[in-house]
């Protein structure tokens, strides 16, 4: 089964989508990647979901990517004697390390790392920014604040500190346990939360030891400022607009989204746009017009993937949400304006031989009667470079490695096919012609472009391009 759109769809699994039949229905509706949220569920539950996905993958005969999303450190206030209190604008309120239940004058903030980073004037956001505090004075174990936006504050509400880089690792002890569990389970991607600096990504990379690709979630102002250096050490990016919209002014999120997407595209690394894309479909079978426009915007920007969270994990209409996203993608990508925008935003990258090869492949495919660009790849680099070009024709990513095929399920336009290992380029051309015909991309009378790196099995050696017929007899005859 082939998709009739280029952007990929990530669907989060949860109580509404935890059985194999629903997971298969989600895939058939358009899901390419399944997200396992490590913030919810036991390891036993996560393992069961992983098993269901792999069972569906075996039944349909197509690679499916699995993304495990690590929780990251959670900063929360303590508890109140009366469960909740009301804070009024202008009043004083203290945060401290005392474990005594709070009242309307103070509450515990059991994170000495936060106090170490605070200074007068720092803003503190509580309960997703619904309550805002300004630090007036602080020390190693307290912060005296003024309430700038009041409201009801209750037990264990989350705290955001947007103005400073916190001396906290992106990986909590829970995250380290979850990371090792997910890697042993065999997930394809790990999403890293609370990234503030490139060192956070490097720490996770050392722990994964190449067992999974690392996707950095950009959800903090510090990560936006350090984006280029974080991108350089990451395998992919998620524009996590939830916390980003809390810690940054809401009006700043759309331009930030555009910058992050374009940066990842230029680096040939997949980028996901996430959070509240079809939020109303948690309870409604139809999305709002604004939500449809939001999804369309991410597609017009050239993002590699759009993501569903609670819509598919806990909503009443998980399959309908995926199908809606799929239909929006097909409609947008069929719009002539889409191609105009994609091509206007393409950055020419021709610093290396590989850059020149993939650029030539796109130009040849778009100016002649070529049906597909077929990339023979070991690590996925060749397919990622071709996808960076955002060609008009389909991309077939052929690889003998199951892990590479699965990871490429997150890459824009990549139709992944697992093939036998090849030692010579002729074998790769024959495999490409066969895959193009069998998967419905070309007829025997058509032509394809084949790219690869020779010698095979060496990463980053994309150096050869051939226009080939899909008739295997013609390929064999030309090599005689």
């Amino acid at each position: 089964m082939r998709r009739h759109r280029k952007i990929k769809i990530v669907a989060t699994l949860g109580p509404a989508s935890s059985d194999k039949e629903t997971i298969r229905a989600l895939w058939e509706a358009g899901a390419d990647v399944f997200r396992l949220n490590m913030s919810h569920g036991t390891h036993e539950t996560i393992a069961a979901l992983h098993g269901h996905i792999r069972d569906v993958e075996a039944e349909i005969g197509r690679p499916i990517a699995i993304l495990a999303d690590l929780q990251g450190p959670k900063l929360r206030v303590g508890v109140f004697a009366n469960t909740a209190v009301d804070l009024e604008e202008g009043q004083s309120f203290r945060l401290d390390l005392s474990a005594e239940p709070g009242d309307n004058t103070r509450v515990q903030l059991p994170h000495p790392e936060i106090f170490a980073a605070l200074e007068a004037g720092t803003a503190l956001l509580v309960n997703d920014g619904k309550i805002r505090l300004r630090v007036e004075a602080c020390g190693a174990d307290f912060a005296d604040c003024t309430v700038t936006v009041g409201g009801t504050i209750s037990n264990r509400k989350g705290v955001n500190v947007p103005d400073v880089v916190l001396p906290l690792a992106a990986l909590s002890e829970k995250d380290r346990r979850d990371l090792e569990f997910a890697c042993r389970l065999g997930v394809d991607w790990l999403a890293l939360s609370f990234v503030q600096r490139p060192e956070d990504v490097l720490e996770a990379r050392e722990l994964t030891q190449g067992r999974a690709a690392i996707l950095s979630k950009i959800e903090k102002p510090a990560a936006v400022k350090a984006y280029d250096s974080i991108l350089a050490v990451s395998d992919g990016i998620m524009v996590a607009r939830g916390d980003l919209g809390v810690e940054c002014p809401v009006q700043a999120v759309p331009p930030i989204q555009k910058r992050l997407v374009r940066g990842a595209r230029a680096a040939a690394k997949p980028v996901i746009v996430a959070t509240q894309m079809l939020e109303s479909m948690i309870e409604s079978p139809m999305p709002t017009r604004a939500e449809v426009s939001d999804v369309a915007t991410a597609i017009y920007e050239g993002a590699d993937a759009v993501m569903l969270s609670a819509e598919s994990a806990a909503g009443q209409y998980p399959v309908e949400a995926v199908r809606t996203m799929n239909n929006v993608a097909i409609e947008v990508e069929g719009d002539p304006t889409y191609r105009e925008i994609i091509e206007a935003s393409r950055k020419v990258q021709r610093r290396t031989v590989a850059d020149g090869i993939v650029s030539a492949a796109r130009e040849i495919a778009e100016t002649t009667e070529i049906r597909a660009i077929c990339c023979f790849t070991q690590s996925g680099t060749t397919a990622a470079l071709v996808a960076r070009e955002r060609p008009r024709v389909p991309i077939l990513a052929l690889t003998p490695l199951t892990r590479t095929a699965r990871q490429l399920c997150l890459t824009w336009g990549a139709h992944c096919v697992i093939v036998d290992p090849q030692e010579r380029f002729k074998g790769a051309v024959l495999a490409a012609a066969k895959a193009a015909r069998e998967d419905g991309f070309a007829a025997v009378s058509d032509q394809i472009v084949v790219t690869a790196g020779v010698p095979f099995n060496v990463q980053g050696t994309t150096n050869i391009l051939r226009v080939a017929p899909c008739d295997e007899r013609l390929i064999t005859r030309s090599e005689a």
Side-chain angles (χ1 to χ4, degrees):
M1 178 179 175
R2 58 174 291 193
R3 304 295 193 202
H4 293 280
R5 35 94 178 155
K6 305 295 182 63
I7 198 166
K8 302 302 180 70
I9 296 174
V10 182
T12 303
L13 298 184
S17 50
S18 58
D19 59 279
K20 193 177 84 170
E21 291 71 23
T22 303
I23 292 171
R24 173 155 187 158
L26 291 172
W27 186 87
E28 291 174 345
D32 304 287
V33 180
F34 289 108
R35 172 175 172 257
L36 307 179
N37 190 348
M38 305 303 288
S39 300
H40 305 290
T42 63
H43 283 186
E44 182 180 13
T45 302
I46 297 295
L49 292 173
H50 182 278
H52 291 329
I53 297 167
R54 291 297 177 233
D55 287 344
V56 170
E57 180 183 63
E59 290 176 3
I60 63 177
R62 301 279 312 124
I64 298 175
I66 299 178
L67 166 68
D69 195 333
L70 302 177
Q71 176 177 282
K74 291 299 179 185
L75 309 178
R76 301 183 185 279
V77 299
V79 300
F80 292 86
N82 294 320
T83 305
V85 299
D86 291 327
L87 300 183
E88 296 183 1
E89 181 179 341
Q91 80 166 79
S92 297
F93 191 72
R94 169 174 277 217
L95 301 169
D96 56 40
L97 293 177
S98 172
E100 289 293 317
D103 53 32
N104 67 345
T105 65
R106 61 155 296 278
V107 75
Q108 181 190 29
L109 181 61
H111 302 286
E113 308 92 339
I114 294 182
F115 294 117
L118 294 180
E119 56 186 33
T122 300
L124 295 172
L125 312 179
V126 185
N127 192 16
D128 290 336
K130 294 182 177 67
I131 295 173
R132 294 175 177 255
L133 311 174
R134 183 181 65 244
V135 176
E136 305 294 348
C138 54
D141 59 356
F142 77 96
D144 287 329
C145 307
T146 297
V147 178
T148 57
V149 177
T152 301
I153 180 172
S154 55
N155 293 344
R156 307 192 189 286
K157 288 301 180 183
V159 177
N160 295 80
V161 191
D163 297 342
V164 296
V165 176
L166 295 175
L168 284 171
L171 295 170
S172 65
E173 286 305 312
K174 168 181 165 53
D175 293 325
R176 289 171 177 270
R177 293 192 300 270
D178 289 345
L179 181 149
E180 183 60 28
F181 168 74
C183 285
R184 291 187 178 184
L185 199 59
V187 303
D188 309 297
W189 286 88
L190 276 170
L192 185 62
S193 300
F194 208 84
V195 174
Q196 299 184 95
R197 53 183 84 82
E199 289 79 10
D200 295 330
V201 186
L202 294 174
E203 180 186 4
R205 190 172 297 285
E206 183 176 346
L207 293 172
T208 58
Q209 293 292 304
R211 292 174 292 174
I214 296 177
L215 187 142
S216 295
K217 295 168 67 175
I218 307 300
E219 54 191 349
K220 299 186 70 62
V224 175
K225 292 178 182 177
Y227 179 59
D228 291 342
S229 56
I230 290 171
L231 175 62
V233 296
S234 304
D235 299 307
I237 294 294
M238 181 189 294
V239 186
R241 302 180 304 176
D243 280 335
L244 199 59
V246 172
E247 299 209 3
C248 297
V250 291
Q251 67 271 17
V253 174
I256 289 172
Q257 174 177 317
K258 282 182 168 51
R259 176 193 159 194
L260 301 186
V261 170
R262 289 204 177 190
R265 280 183 58 188
K269 295 181 178 181
V271 54
I272 304 171
V273 176
T275 317
Q276 296 180 326
M277 301 218 79
L278 296 175
E279 185 89 349
S280 69
M281 290 196 75
I282 295 173
E283 298 178 347
S284 169
M286 289 292 292
T288 67
R289 276 59 172 174
E291 289 168 340
V292 170
S293 293
D294 183 38
V295 174
T297 295
I299 299 168
Y300 279 116
E301 288 171 352
D304 289 81
V306 284
M307 192 176 97
L308 296 167
S309 298
E311 300 97 327
S312 58
Q316 298 178 35
Y317 305 96
V319 176
E320 290 84 352
V322 172
R323 187 176 295 117
T324 296
M325 198 166 259
N326 179 74
N327 292 340
V328 172
I330 292 172
E331 188 73 21
V332 169
E333 292 181 9
D335 176 16
T337 305
Y338 169 75
R339 287 310 318 176
E340 294 174 9
I341 294 172
I342 290 296
E343 289 167 14
S345 61
R346 179 190 295 131
K347 287 188 176 181
V348 177
Q349 302 281 343
R350 293 178 182 170
R351 303 189 194 95
T352 66
V353 171
D355 292 336
I357 290 288
V358 299
S359 181
R362 176 187 57 78
E363 291 184 10
I364 292 170
E366 292 181 351
T367 55
T368 59
E369 292 298 319
I370 298 296
R371 294 300 180 186
I373 299 175
C374 301
C375 320
F376 201 89
T377 183
Q378 295 284 323
S379 64
T381 301
T382 303
L385 290 174
V386 172
R388 181 181 64 190
E389 294 287 316
R390 298 297 192 258
R392 298 186 182 193
V393 301
I395 303 169
L396 270 67
L398 297 95
T399 179
L401 303 178
T402 301
R403 183 174 70 175
T404 297
R406 288 169 174 166
Q407 289 177 351
L408 284 171
C409 289
L410 191 55
T411 297
W412 184 96
H415 177 86
C416 306
V417 182
I418 300 172
V419 297
D420 293 332
Q422 302 294 330
E423 297 296 330
R424 298 179 57 211
F425 185 60
K426 175 185 175 182
V429 174
L430 289 168
K434 180 181 178 182
R437 293 195 318 271
E438 290 184 348
D439 286 14
F441 291 92
V444 70
S445 58
D446 291 324
Q447 289 184 313
I448 56 175
V449 168
V450 184
T451 65
V454 178
F456 286 107
N457 306 318
V458 178
Q459 182 175 349
T461 58
T462 306
N463 57 10
I464 192 167
L465 177 154
R466 176 177 173 181
V467 177
C470 284
D471 188 334
E472 295 176 8
R473 295 169 299 176
L474 297 178
I475 297 172
T476 304
R477 188 183 307 162
S478 66
E479 296 289 334

